[in-house]
Amino acid sequence: GEEVAQTPKHLVRGEGQKAKLYCAPIKGHSYVFWYQQVLKNEFKFLISFQNENVFDETGMPKERFSAKCLPNSPCSLEIQATKLEDSAVYFCASSPGRTNQPQHFGDGTRLSIL
Amino acid sequence: AQSVTQLDSHVSVSEGTPVLLRCNYSSSYSPSLFWYVQHPNKGLQLLLKYTSAATLVKGINGFEAEFKKSETSFHLTKPSAHMSDAAEYFCVVSESDSWGKLQFGAGTQVVVTP
């Protein structure tokens, strides 16, 4: 598609439950990035993929966070045993190249942990 | 290492008057610089990008920005504000060696009054 599609728009989970977020990148874009927006204006890089391969995972809290981009499927970001501090808006972005190419963002998934 | 400083957290302008959003960056190498806009409950929309070509960059909706290496600045301007410009604006940096991940400024909220 022409837009990055993120589902669901909102996700509510009790503390300790699992949360799974999905992202369909723009067709033809081989790079996918996940960011976490906390407190409205603080963006944190989580992970990036080149096609189905993890490219950079330096921002991932590895104990509970995992992500995949499999062929012919939306990319996913999964959080096990959620904590209150995981409440945030999670954005997915895609781009045709790694550097000097703007990233196109989806509308985000708002995750609320109760 | 890279960092981005948006000098104003909040800017209020009257409709029809100029807008100036200030951004300074620090970068070890040759950065790519971007301005994104975020309307409430939406994703980030690219306004413009600088990637080492012309230092004066024109973007969408009448916005433009000038890259000044000597001042390490990338200020965003628009000659005449419109009510629809009310939003949050982010100055964003990507280093050539950062594997594509973006570093965000803290954002500037723009309010446009009639």
Side-chain angles (χ1 to χ4, degrees):
Chain A
E2 294 295 320
E3 294 181 343
V4 176
Q6 288 189 249
T7 56
K9 288 190 184 304
H10 297 106
L11 186 60
V12 180
R13 288 288 180 265
E15 199 173 9
Q17 292 184 317
K18 181 176 72 176
K20 195 164 185 178
L21 292 59
Y22 296 92
C23 167
I26 292 173
K27 202 171 185 179
H29 284 192
S30 49
Y31 287 87
V32 170
F33 302 81
W34 285 96
Y35 296 89
Q36 180 192 53
Q37 185 183 24
V38 181
L39 297 174
K40 187 187 171 188
N41 285 0
E42 217 173 288
F43 283 87
K44 179 188 173 188
F45 167 79
L46 294 175
I47 190 169
S48 62
F49 288 84
Q50 181 183 13
N51 297 313
E52 62 267 26
N53 303 307
V54 174
F55 195 76
D56 180 356
E57 57 182 349
T58 52
M60 283 285 269
K62 291 184 184 175
E63 306 81 42
R64 299 181 296 108
F65 285 58
S66 62
K68 293 180 186 176
C69 279
L70 300 175
N72 302 315
S73 297
C75 297
S76 64
L77 176 69
E78 189 167 9
I79 309 172
Q80 304 284 345
T82 53
K83 298 182 178 181
L84 294 175
E85 68 213 42
D86 299 330
S87 295
V89 182
Y90 291 82
F91 286 100
C92 172
S94 71
S95 74
R98 177 170 58 86
T99 56
N100 297 335
Q101 299 278 350
Q103 294 177 20
H104 300 260
F105 284 78
D107 284 347
T109 292
R110 181 175 297 278
L111 176 63
S112 298
I113 306 301
L114 305 178
Chain B
Q2 60 190 42
S3 70
V4 186
T5 303
Q6 291 185 240
L7 298 167
D8 308 289
S9 60
H10 184 273
V11 167
S12 183
V13 297
S14 299
E15 192 176 17
T17 64
V19 183
L20 169 65
L21 305 183
R22 297 181 294 165
C23 173
N24 285 107
Y25 69 93
S26 66
S27 168
S28 304
Y29 303 105
S30 298
S32 295
L33 295 160
F34 309 88
W35 275 98
Y36 283 85
V37 61
Q38 185 179 29
H39 288 93
N41 300 313
K42 299 291 283 183
L44 294 152
Q45 181 186 18
L46 178 71
L47 286 176
L48 48 80
K49 64 176 181 177
Y50 167 78
T51 54
S52 76
T55 56
L56 183 62
V57 181
K58 292 193 184 299
I60 62 170
N61 301 336
F63 285 95
E64 64 180 37
E66 186 172 8
F67 173 72
K68 291 188 177 180
K69 189 174 181 179
S70 60
E71 299 176 10
T72 60
S73 69
F74 189 56
H75 300 337
L76 180 72
T77 60
K78 182 172 179 177
S80 176
H82 191 272
M83 295 299 290
S84 60
D85 294 328
E88 194 81 28
Y89 291 78
F90 292 93
C91 182
V92 181
V93 174
S94 176
E95 289 272 21
S96 57
D97 68 340
S98 69
W99 296 8
K101 64 185 172 190
L102 302 179
Q103 178 88 22
F104 288 78
T108 298
Q109 185 182 18
V110 172
V111 173
V112 183
T113 56

